[in-house]
Amino acid sequence: ERRLVVAIDEFQQVLEYPETGTEALLRSLIQEVPWIRFVFAGSRQHLMSEMFASARHPFYNSTDILSLDVIVREKYRAFAEGFFRSAGKPFDSESFDFLYERFDGITWYVQRVLNRLWFQGEGVVSTAQVETVVAELVEERALTFRDLLDSQNDVARKLLPTIARIGVVSEPTSVEFLSTCALSASSVRSSLADLRARDLVYKTEKGYCVYDRLFGLWLKTFPLPI
């Protein structure tokens, strides 16, 4: 007698379950409860697209697909400013805009920096302060990033820092890019496919980027050659 909504976050994780047929089982169970509406959310876009847009998967064409963009800068700024000022902490709009642009508005990074600033008690007062916190976050994960880079093959160890330095690589097989990273077109194509599958690199409308922005910042400061 009641309509229900079940929301499942990071739904692409079911692809990694050791049992076979998990997707088909879930699909059959969902079909038995038409009074329940399901929302499937996930951060790994290529896997979610595969699950819902490929005829090889049980959930093919079973849903309406919606891509969520980043929070609009003005709305995010107003929310953050209200939160800081309600506690009597200063909030500089230009510093927030600097932070927002630094990470292209991606909430995980913006929120992480704001959270650190909040607990430091000074509020948001300058771009230099924001940069200091970002540098702290990168340094805290430096050992993890070092291990991650060391675990890559020779091609990926050249490719990742090069992509990080450029920021967005629109033509990874161009002569200019290949000369920069000293790799062949075939090795770059193969490595990019592997790095995308492991969420170390992702592709936007503009080109290829390092998935973890903090990892990307660390790679930018890492001396070449790798």
Side-chain angles (χ1 to χ4, degrees), residues 110-163:
V110 176
Q111 182 67 18
R112 189 70 180 270
V113 173
L114 290 177
N115 179 265
R116 181 66 61 90
L117 292 172
W118 173 270
F119 283 106
Q120 288 180 350
E122 299 177 0
V124 181
V125 296
S126 68
T127 58
Q129 176 204 38
V130 170
E131 283 283 33
T132 298
V133 170
V134 171
E136 290 174 356
L137 294 175
V138 173
E139 180 61 28
E140 288 168 6
R141 301 181 64 184
L143 290 178
T144 301
F145 292 151
R146 175 73 263 187
D147 290 341
L148 180 59
L149 185 63
D150 286 344
S151 69
Q152 307 304 311
N153 59 34
D154 291 341
V155 174
R157 282 200 296 271
K158 291 181 179 180
L159 191 57
L160 283 167
T162 308
I163 293 175

Short mmCIF file of all heavy atoms in Angstrom, two decimals, residues 110-163:
data_model
loop_
_atom_site.label_atom_id
_atom_site.label_comp_id
_atom_site.label_asym_id
_atom_site.label_seq_id
_atom_site.Cartn_x
_atom_site.Cartn_y
_atom_site.Cartn_z
N VAL A 110 36.84 19.56 -2.60
CA VAL A 110 36.43 20.84 -2.02
C VAL A 110 36.02 20.64 -0.56
O VAL A 110 36.44 21.39 0.33
CB VAL A 110 35.26 21.46 -2.82
CG1 VAL A 110 34.78 22.75 -2.15
CG2 VAL A 110 35.70 21.76 -4.26
N GLN A 111 35.22 19.62 -0.31
CA GLN A 111 34.76 19.36 1.04
C GLN A 111 35.91 18.97 1.97
O GLN A 111 35.95 19.36 3.14
CB GLN A 111 33.70 18.24 1.02
CG GLN A 111 33.10 17.90 2.38
CD GLN A 111 32.26 19.03 2.95
OE1 GLN A 111 31.87 19.93 2.22
NE2 GLN A 111 32.00 18.97 4.24
N ARG A 112 36.86 18.21 1.44
CA ARG A 112 38.00 17.78 2.26
C ARG A 112 38.82 18.99 2.74
O ARG A 112 39.22 19.06 3.90
CB ARG A 112 38.88 16.84 1.44
CG ARG A 112 39.98 16.13 2.23
CD ARG A 112 39.39 15.11 3.18
NE ARG A 112 40.43 14.44 3.93
CZ ARG A 112 41.03 13.32 3.53
NH1 ARG A 112 40.70 12.78 2.38
NH2 ARG A 112 41.96 12.76 4.28
N VAL A 113 39.05 19.92 1.83
CA VAL A 113 39.82 21.11 2.18
C VAL A 113 39.03 21.99 3.15
O VAL A 113 39.56 22.47 4.16
CB VAL A 113 40.20 21.91 0.93
CG1 VAL A 113 40.86 23.24 1.31
CG2 VAL A 113 41.14 21.10 0.05
N LEU A 114 37.74 22.20 2.87
CA LEU A 114 36.91 23.02 3.77
C LEU A 114 36.83 22.39 5.15
O LEU A 114 36.84 23.11 6.17
CB LEU A 114 35.51 23.17 3.18
CG LEU A 114 35.38 24.04 1.92
CD1 LEU A 114 33.94 24.03 1.42
CD2 LEU A 114 35.85 25.46 2.18
N ASN A 115 36.75 21.08 5.21
CA ASN A 115 36.70 20.39 6.49
C ASN A 115 37.97 20.63 7.29
O ASN A 115 37.93 20.89 8.50
CB ASN A 115 36.49 18.90 6.27
CG ASN A 115 36.46 18.11 7.57
OD1 ASN A 115 37.47 17.57 8.01
ND2 ASN A 115 35.29 18.04 8.19
N ARG A 116 39.12 20.58 6.62
CA ARG A 116 40.39 20.83 7.30
C ARG A 116 40.48 22.28 7.78
O ARG A 116 40.92 22.55 8.91
CB ARG A 116 41.54 20.52 6.32
CG ARG A 116 42.94 20.70 6.89
CD ARG A 116 43.24 19.69 8.00
NE ARG A 116 43.18 18.33 7.53
CZ ARG A 116 44.23 17.65 7.03
NH1 ARG A 116 45.41 18.24 6.93
NH2 ARG A 116 44.09 16.39 6.66
N LEU A 117 40.03 23.21 6.95
CA LEU A 117 40.03 24.62 7.35
C LEU A 117 39.10 24.86 8.53
O LEU A 117 39.40 25.66 9.43
CB LEU A 117 39.62 25.50 6.16
CG LEU A 117 40.60 25.55 5.00
CD1 LEU A 117 39.98 26.30 3.82
CD2 LEU A 117 41.90 26.23 5.43
N TRP A 118 37.97 24.18 8.53
CA TRP A 118 37.00 24.34 9.62
C TRP A 118 37.62 23.94 10.96
O TRP A 118 37.52 24.66 11.95
CB TRP A 118 35.77 23.49 9.33
CG TRP A 118 34.79 23.43 10.47
CD1 TRP A 118 34.76 22.54 11.50
CD2 TRP A 118 33.70 24.33 10.69
NE1 TRP A 118 33.71 22.80 12.35
CE2 TRP A 118 33.04 23.91 11.88
CE3 TRP A 118 33.21 25.43 10.00
CZ2 TRP A 118 31.93 24.55 12.37
CZ3 TRP A 118 32.09 26.08 10.51
CH2 TRP A 118 31.46 25.65 11.69
N PHE A 119 38.29 22.81 10.99
CA PHE A 119 38.84 22.31 12.25
C PHE A 119 40.12 23.05 12.65
O PHE A 119 40.50 23.02 13.82
CB PHE A 119 39.09 20.80 12.18
CG PHE A 119 37.83 20.01 12.32
CD1 PHE A 119 37.26 19.38 11.23
CD2 PHE A 119 37.20 19.90 13.56
CE1 PHE A 119 36.07 18.65 11.36
CE2 PHE A 119 36.02 19.18 13.70
CZ PHE A 119 35.45 18.56 12.60
N GLN A 120 40.76 23.72 11.70
CA GLN A 120 41.89 24.56 12.07
C GLN A 120 41.43 25.83 12.76
O GLN A 120 42.22 26.48 13.45
CB GLN A 120 42.72 24.91 10.83
CG GLN A 120 43.53 23.74 10.29
CD GLN A 120 44.35 24.10 9.07
OE1 GLN A 120 44.18 25.18 8.50
NE2 GLN A 120 45.22 23.19 8.64
N GLY A 121 40.16 26.18 12.58
CA GLY A 121 39.55 27.27 13.33
C GLY A 121 39.73 28.66 12.77
O GLY A 121 39.21 29.63 13.32
N GLU A 122 40.47 28.79 11.65
CA GLU A 122 40.73 30.12 11.12
C GLU A 122 39.71 30.57 10.09
O GLU A 122 39.68 31.74 9.70
CB GLU A 122 42.12 30.15 10.47
CG GLU A 122 43.26 29.85 11.44
CD GLU A 122 44.60 29.81 10.74
OE1 GLU A 122 44.63 30.01 9.50
OE2 GLU A 122 45.61 29.58 11.42
N GLY A 123 38.88 29.66 9.64
CA GLY A 123 37.95 29.98 8.58
C GLY A 123 38.64 29.91 7.23
O GLY A 123 39.72 29.34 7.09
N VAL A 124 38.02 30.52 6.22
CA VAL A 124 38.60 30.56 4.87
C VAL A 124 39.04 32.01 4.63
O VAL A 124 38.21 32.90 4.45
CB VAL A 124 37.55 30.14 3.80
CG1 VAL A 124 38.17 30.16 2.41
CG2 VAL A 124 37.00 28.76 4.12
N VAL A 125 40.35 32.25 4.65
CA VAL A 125 40.82 33.63 4.65
C VAL A 125 41.70 34.01 3.47
O VAL A 125 41.81 35.20 3.14
CB VAL A 125 41.57 33.94 5.97
CG1 VAL A 125 40.63 33.84 7.15
CG2 VAL A 125 42.77 33.01 6.14
N SER A 126 42.37 33.05 2.81
CA SER A 126 43.27 33.42 1.71
C SER A 126 43.54 32.22 0.80
O SER A 126 43.39 31.06 1.22
CB SER A 126 44.60 33.94 2.26
OG SER A 126 45.32 32.90 2.88
N THR A 127 43.95 32.52 -0.42
CA THR A 127 44.32 31.45 -1.35
C THR A 127 45.58 30.74 -0.86
O THR A 127 45.73 29.53 -1.07
CB THR A 127 44.55 32.01 -2.76
OG1 THR A 127 45.56 33.02 -2.72
CG2 THR A 127 43.27 32.62 -3.32
N ALA A 128 46.49 31.46 -0.23
CA ALA A 128 47.71 30.84 0.29
C ALA A 128 47.37 29.81 1.36
O ALA A 128 47.99 28.73 1.44
CB ALA A 128 48.64 31.92 0.87
N GLN A 129 46.38 30.11 2.19
CA GLN A 129 45.93 29.18 3.21
C GLN A 129 45.35 27.92 2.56
O GLN A 129 45.62 26.79 3.00
CB GLN A 129 44.87 29.87 4.08
CG GLN A 129 44.24 28.97 5.13
CD GLN A 129 42.86 29.48 5.52
OE1 GLN A 129 42.11 29.96 4.66
NE2 GLN A 129 42.53 29.38 6.80
N VAL A 130 44.57 28.10 1.50
CA VAL A 130 44.00 26.96 0.78
C VAL A 130 45.12 26.10 0.20
O VAL A 130 45.11 24.87 0.31
CB VAL A 130 43.05 27.44 -0.34
CG1 VAL A 130 42.65 26.27 -1.25
CG2 VAL A 130 41.82 28.09 0.26
N GLU A 131 46.11 26.73 -0.42
CA GLU A 131 47.22 26.00 -1.01
C GLU A 131 47.99 25.21 0.05
O GLU A 131 48.45 24.09 -0.19
CB GLU A 131 48.17 26.97 -1.72
CG GLU A 131 47.67 27.44 -3.07
CD GLU A 131 47.83 26.38 -4.15
OE1 GLU A 131 47.74 25.17 -3.85
OE2 GLU A 131 48.05 26.76 -5.32
N THR A 132 48.13 25.80 1.23
CA THR A 132 48.84 25.12 2.32
C THR A 132 48.12 23.84 2.72
O THR A 132 48.74 22.78 2.91
CB THR A 132 48.98 26.04 3.54
OG1 THR A 132 49.76 27.18 3.19
CG2 THR A 132 49.63 25.31 4.70
N VAL A 133 46.80 23.91 2.82
CA VAL A 133 46.01 22.73 3.19
C VAL A 133 46.08 21.67 2.09
O VAL A 133 46.23 20.48 2.38
CB VAL A 133 44.55 23.12 3.48
CG1 VAL A 133 43.68 21.87 3.62
CG2 VAL A 133 44.47 23.97 4.74
N VAL A 134 46.01 22.10 0.84
CA VAL A 134 46.10 21.15 -0.28
C VAL A 134 47.46 20.45 -0.24
O VAL A 134 47.54 19.22 -0.41
CB VAL A 134 45.91 21.87 -1.63
CG1 VAL A 134 46.22 20.92 -2.79
CG2 VAL A 134 44.49 22.40 -1.75
N ALA A 135 48.52 21.21 0.01
CA ALA A 135 49.86 20.63 0.09
C ALA A 135 49.95 19.63 1.24
O ALA A 135 50.61 18.58 1.12
CB ALA A 135 50.90 21.74 0.27
N GLU A 136 49.28 19.93 2.36
CA GLU A 136 49.27 19.00 3.50
C GLU A 136 48.58 17.69 3.12
O GLU A 136 49.06 16.60 3.47
CB GLU A 136 48.54 19.64 4.68
CG GLU A 136 49.29 20.79 5.33
CD GLU A 136 48.45 21.47 6.41
OE1 GLU A 136 47.26 21.08 6.58
OE2 GLU A 136 48.97 22.39 7.07
N LEU A 137 47.47 17.79 2.42
CA LEU A 137 46.73 16.60 2.02
C LEU A 137 47.55 15.73 1.07
O LEU A 137 47.52 14.50 1.16
CB LEU A 137 45.41 16.98 1.37
CG LEU A 137 44.38 17.67 2.27
CD1 LEU A 137 43.16 18.12 1.46
CD2 LEU A 137 43.93 16.72 3.39
N VAL A 138 48.28 16.38 0.16
CA VAL A 138 49.14 15.64 -0.76
C VAL A 138 50.28 14.97 0.00
O VAL A 138 50.57 13.79 -0.21
CB VAL A 138 49.70 16.58 -1.85
CG1 VAL A 138 50.74 15.84 -2.70
CG2 VAL A 138 48.58 17.10 -2.73
N GLU A 139 50.90 15.70 0.90
CA GLU A 139 52.04 15.18 1.66
C GLU A 139 51.63 14.00 2.54
O GLU A 139 52.39 13.03 2.68
CB GLU A 139 52.65 16.29 2.51
CG GLU A 139 53.85 15.85 3.34
CD GLU A 139 55.01 15.35 2.50
OE1 GLU A 139 55.14 15.80 1.34
OE2 GLU A 139 55.77 14.50 3.00
N GLU A 140 50.44 14.06 3.11
CA GLU A 140 49.97 12.98 3.98
C GLU A 140 49.81 11.66 3.23
O GLU A 140 49.88 10.59 3.82
CB GLU A 140 48.63 13.38 4.61
CG GLU A 140 48.75 14.46 5.67
CD GLU A 140 47.41 15.03 6.08
OE1 GLU A 140 46.37 14.50 5.61
OE2 GLU A 140 47.39 16.01 6.84
N ARG A 141 49.61 11.75 1.92
CA ARG A 141 49.43 10.54 1.12
C ARG A 141 50.63 10.24 0.23
O ARG A 141 50.56 9.39 -0.65
CB ARG A 141 48.17 10.69 0.27
CG ARG A 141 46.91 10.92 1.09
CD ARG A 141 45.68 11.05 0.23
NE ARG A 141 45.39 9.84 -0.51
CZ ARG A 141 44.40 9.71 -1.40
NH1 ARG A 141 43.64 10.76 -1.66
NH2 ARG A 141 44.19 8.59 -2.03
N ALA A 142 51.73 10.94 0.47
CA ALA A 142 52.90 10.81 -0.40
C ALA A 142 53.43 9.37 -0.45
O ALA A 142 53.78 8.86 -1.53
CB ALA A 142 54.00 11.76 0.05
N LEU A 143 53.50 8.69 0.70
CA LEU A 143 54.00 7.32 0.71
C LEU A 143 53.08 6.38 -0.07
O LEU A 143 53.55 5.51 -0.80
CB LEU A 143 54.16 6.83 2.16
CG LEU A 143 55.28 7.49 2.97
CD1 LEU A 143 55.28 6.95 4.39
CD2 LEU A 143 56.63 7.24 2.31
N THR A 144 51.77 6.60 0.08
CA THR A 144 50.81 5.79 -0.67
C THR A 144 50.96 6.03 -2.16
O THR A 144 50.95 5.09 -2.97
CB THR A 144 49.37 6.13 -0.22
OG1 THR A 144 49.23 5.87 1.17
CG2 THR A 144 48.36 5.31 -1.01
N PHE A 145 51.12 7.30 -2.53
CA PHE A 145 51.29 7.63 -3.95
C PHE A 145 52.60 7.04 -4.50
O PHE A 145 52.65 6.58 -5.63
CB PHE A 145 51.28 9.15 -4.14
CG PHE A 145 49.95 9.79 -3.87
CD1 PHE A 145 49.87 11.10 -3.41
CD2 PHE A 145 48.77 9.10 -4.08
CE1 PHE A 145 48.64 11.70 -3.18
CE2 PHE A 145 47.54 9.69 -3.84
CZ PHE A 145 47.47 11.00 -3.38
N ARG A 146 53.65 7.07 -3.68
CA ARG A 146 54.93 6.50 -4.11
C ARG A 146 54.78 5.01 -4.39
O ARG A 146 55.26 4.49 -5.41
CB ARG A 146 55.97 6.76 -3.03
CG ARG A 146 57.33 6.14 -3.25
CD ARG A 146 58.11 6.85 -4.34
NE ARG A 146 58.02 6.19 -5.62
CZ ARG A 146 58.71 6.53 -6.67
NH1 ARG A 146 59.56 7.55 -6.60
NH2 ARG A 146 58.58 5.90 -7.82
N ASP A 147 54.12 4.30 -3.47
CA ASP A 147 53.90 2.86 -3.65
C ASP A 147 53.04 2.59 -4.87
O ASP A 147 53.27 1.62 -5.61
CB ASP A 147 53.23 2.27 -2.40
CG ASP A 147 54.16 2.23 -1.21
OD1 ASP A 147 55.39 2.31 -1.41
OD2 ASP A 147 53.66 2.12 -0.06
N LEU A 148 52.03 3.44 -5.08
CA LEU A 148 51.13 3.26 -6.22
C LEU A 148 51.90 3.42 -7.53
O LEU A 148 51.73 2.63 -8.46
CB LEU A 148 49.99 4.27 -6.14
CG LEU A 148 48.95 4.23 -7.26
CD1 LEU A 148 48.28 2.86 -7.34
CD2 LEU A 148 47.90 5.31 -7.05
N LEU A 149 52.75 4.44 -7.61
CA LEU A 149 53.52 4.64 -8.83
C LEU A 149 54.52 3.52 -9.04
O LEU A 149 54.70 3.04 -10.17
CB LEU A 149 54.25 5.99 -8.76
CG LEU A 149 55.00 6.40 -10.03
CD1 LEU A 149 54.03 6.57 -11.20
CD2 LEU A 149 55.78 7.69 -9.80
N ASP A 150 55.16 3.08 -7.96
CA ASP A 150 56.14 1.99 -8.07
C ASP A 150 55.51 0.69 -8.55
O ASP A 150 56.18 -0.16 -9.14
CB ASP A 150 56.81 1.76 -6.72
CG ASP A 150 57.82 2.85 -6.38
OD1 ASP A 150 58.20 3.60 -7.29
OD2 ASP A 150 58.20 2.96 -5.20
N SER A 151 54.22 0.51 -8.27
CA SER A 151 53.54 -0.73 -8.65
C SER A 151 53.15 -0.78 -10.13
O SER A 151 52.71 -1.82 -10.61
CB SER A 151 52.29 -0.93 -7.79
OG SER A 151 51.30 0.03 -8.11
N GLN A 152 53.34 0.33 -10.84
CA GLN A 152 52.97 0.38 -12.26
C GLN A 152 54.10 -0.16 -13.13
O GLN A 152 55.26 -0.22 -12.72
CB GLN A 152 52.65 1.82 -12.67
CG GLN A 152 51.65 2.53 -11.79
CD GLN A 152 50.33 1.78 -11.68
OE1 GLN A 152 49.76 1.37 -12.68
NE2 GLN A 152 49.86 1.62 -10.46
N ASN A 153 53.74 -0.53 -14.36
CA ASN A 153 54.78 -0.96 -15.31
C ASN A 153 55.52 0.26 -15.85
O ASN A 153 55.17 1.41 -15.56
CB ASN A 153 54.18 -1.79 -16.44
CG ASN A 153 53.11 -1.04 -17.23
OD1 ASN A 153 53.20 0.17 -17.42
ND2 ASN A 153 52.09 -1.75 -17.68
N ASP A 154 56.55 0.03 -16.65
CA ASP A 154 57.41 1.11 -17.13
C ASP A 154 56.64 2.15 -17.94
O ASP A 154 56.89 3.36 -17.81
CB ASP A 154 58.56 0.55 -17.98
CG ASP A 154 59.54 -0.25 -17.15
OD1 ASP A 154 59.56 -0.08 -15.92
OD2 ASP A 154 60.29 -1.06 -17.73
N VAL A 155 55.71 1.69 -18.77
CA VAL A 155 54.94 2.61 -19.60
C VAL A 155 54.07 3.52 -18.73
O VAL A 155 54.05 4.74 -18.91
CB VAL A 155 54.06 1.85 -20.61
CG1 VAL A 155 53.15 2.81 -21.37
CG2 VAL A 155 54.93 1.07 -21.58
N ALA A 156 53.36 2.95 -17.77
CA ALA A 156 52.49 3.73 -16.90
C ALA A 156 53.28 4.71 -16.04
O ALA A 156 52.81 5.82 -15.75
CB ALA A 156 51.66 2.80 -16.01
N ARG A 157 54.50 4.33 -15.64
CA ARG A 157 55.32 5.23 -14.82
C ARG A 157 55.76 6.46 -15.61
O ARG A 157 56.07 7.50 -15.02
CB ARG A 157 56.53 4.49 -14.26
CG ARG A 157 56.19 3.61 -13.07
CD ARG A 157 57.43 3.28 -12.25
NE ARG A 157 58.39 2.48 -13.02
CZ ARG A 157 58.38 1.15 -13.06
NH1 ARG A 157 57.46 0.48 -12.39
NH2 ARG A 157 59.29 0.51 -13.75
N LYS A 158 55.82 6.34 -16.92
CA LYS A 158 56.10 7.51 -17.76
C LYS A 158 54.82 8.27 -18.11
O LYS A 158 54.80 9.50 -18.15
CB LYS A 158 56.80 7.08 -19.05
CG LYS A 158 58.21 6.56 -18.88
CD LYS A 158 58.80 6.19 -20.23
CE LYS A 158 60.23 5.69 -20.10
NZ LYS A 158 60.80 5.33 -21.43
N LEU A 159 53.75 7.50 -18.34
CA LEU A 159 52.51 8.10 -18.83
C LEU A 159 51.81 8.93 -17.76
O LEU A 159 51.36 10.05 -18.04
CB LEU A 159 51.59 6.98 -19.33
CG LEU A 159 50.35 7.39 -20.10
CD1 LEU A 159 50.72 8.22 -21.32
CD2 LEU A 159 49.57 6.13 -20.53
N LEU A 160 51.70 8.41 -16.55
CA LEU A 160 50.96 9.10 -15.49
C LEU A 160 51.54 10.48 -15.16
O LEU A 160 50.79 11.47 -15.13
CB LEU A 160 50.90 8.23 -14.24
CG LEU A 160 49.89 7.08 -14.27
CD1 LEU A 160 50.13 6.11 -13.12
CD2 LEU A 160 48.46 7.63 -14.23
N PRO A 161 52.85 10.62 -14.92
CA PRO A 161 53.38 11.95 -14.63
C PRO A 161 53.23 12.92 -15.80
O PRO A 161 53.02 14.12 -15.60
CB PRO A 161 54.87 11.69 -14.33
CG PRO A 161 54.93 10.26 -13.95
CD PRO A 161 53.89 9.58 -14.78
N THR A 162 53.33 12.40 -17.03
CA THR A 162 53.19 13.27 -18.19
C THR A 162 51.77 13.82 -18.28
O THR A 162 51.56 15.01 -18.54
CB THR A 162 53.54 12.52 -19.48
OG1 THR A 162 54.82 11.90 -19.34
CG2 THR A 162 53.57 13.47 -20.67
N ILE A 163 50.78 12.96 -18.09
CA ILE A 163 49.38 13.40 -18.10
C ILE A 163 49.15 14.41 -16.98
O ILE A 163 48.49 15.44 -17.17
CB ILE A 163 48.43 12.20 -17.95
CG1 ILE A 163 48.51 11.30 -19.18
CG2 ILE A 163 46.98 12.68 -17.75
CD1 ILE A 163 47.69 10.03 -19.06
#
